[in-house]
């Protein structure tokens, strides 16, 4: 491991330590490495006992259900992966809505409305819950189906 990578790893653990310790004291049963990763992206975030995470995005508190997945299911919020897309007052179609992270991002970035498609039943249920938790059902329509370029024979 290079010297700079070692320093980076040490800093990551030092900077996330207060949040990790605080959550361990509160009895949050998440592995240490997952806590470190979560707080690296969301230093002021919170992992709740009801399997949700809370953090701020564009000055709004977001609550996100993660279920049996690691708590870092929505790093797009902190990495700003989609900021380059011009969604303001437009209809956005999200094919592969997953846990609802991208439809929520687009809705909070002032999309006129978002139409999401998710084939996986578990992810569809998570996305539906996350949309409701963030009171965005009026802007996001989610469909439990897949999209293909041609008809698929079952």
């Amino acid at each position: 491991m290079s010297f700079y990578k070692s320093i980076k790893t040490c800093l990551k653990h030092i900077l996330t330590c207060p949040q990790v310790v605080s959550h361990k004291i509160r009895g949050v049963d998440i592995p240490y490495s997952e806590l470190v990763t979560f707080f690296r992206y969301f230093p002021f975030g919170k992992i709740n006992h009801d399997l949700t995470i809370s953090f701020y995005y564009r000055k709004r508190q977001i609550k996100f259900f993660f279920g049996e997945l690691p708590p870092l299911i929505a790093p797009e919020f902190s990495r700003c992966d989609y900021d380059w897309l011009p969604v303001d007052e437009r209809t956005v179609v999200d094919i592969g809505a997953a846990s609802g992270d991208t439809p929520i991002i687009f809705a909070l970035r002032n999309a006129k409305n978002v139409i999401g498609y998710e084939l996986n039943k578990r992810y569809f249920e998570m996305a539906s819950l996350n949309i409701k938790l963030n009171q965005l059902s009026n802007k996001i329509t989610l469909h439990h189906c897949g999209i293909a370029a041609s008809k698929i024979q079952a």
Side-chain angles (χ1 to χ4, degrees):
M1 186 184 309
S2 75
F3 175 73
Y4 292 109
K5 191 169 184 176
S6 298
I7 295 295
K8 184 179 176 183
T9 301
C10 287
L11 283 174
K12 175 176 73 173
H13 289 275
I14 290 168
L15 295 174
T16 60
C17 186
Q19 282 283 44
V20 170
V21 170
S22 166
H23 280 71
K24 284 296 187 184
I25 290 171
R26 288 183 33 239
V28 172
D29 190 26
I30 303 289
Y32 173 81
S33 61
E34 292 176 13
L35 287 171
V36 168
T37 301
F38 175 77
F39 292 116
R40 193 176 103 221
Y41 285 103
F42 303 104
F44 301 105
K46 182 178 178 188
I47 300 175
N48 306 301
H49 289 285
D50 63 356
L51 301 180
T52 61
I53 55 176
S54 304
F55 55 91
Y56 282 89
Y57 176 74
R58 294 183 172 245
K59 299 180 183 178
R60 177 179 170 161
Q61 185 173 20
I62 303 297
K63 191 168 186 179
F64 223 81
F65 176 76
F66 63 90
E68 74 279 351
L69 298 173
L72 185 64
I73 59 171
E76 294 82 9
F77 285 97
S78 68
R79 292 191 319 233
C80 306
D81 290 348
Y82 299 98
D83 282 359
W84 62 274
L85 288 171
V87 301
D88 194 38
E89 290 301 318
R90 294 181 179 189
T91 296
V92 177
V93 177
D94 185 7
I95 300 171
S99 59
D101 51 350
T102 47
I104 291 170
I105 287 171
F106 296 142
L108 294 176
R109 288 193 48 230
N110 205 30
K112 184 177 179 181
N113 55 12
V114 180
I115 303 165
Y117 297 92
E118 179 52 53
L119 182 60
N120 181 293
K121 183 180 181 188
R122 180 68 184 126
Y123 278 117
F124 172 79
E125 291 169 352
M126 287 177 70
S128 298
L129 177 59
N130 287 328
I131 290 163
K132 288 177 188 162
L133 283 172
N134 291 287
Q135 302 169 353
L136 292 168
S137 299
N138 61 328
K139 290 187 87 171
I140 302 171
T141 305
L142 194 62
H143 300 280
H144 182 211
C145 65
I147 303 291
S150 60
K151 187 173 181 176
I152 299 172
Q153 298 296 327

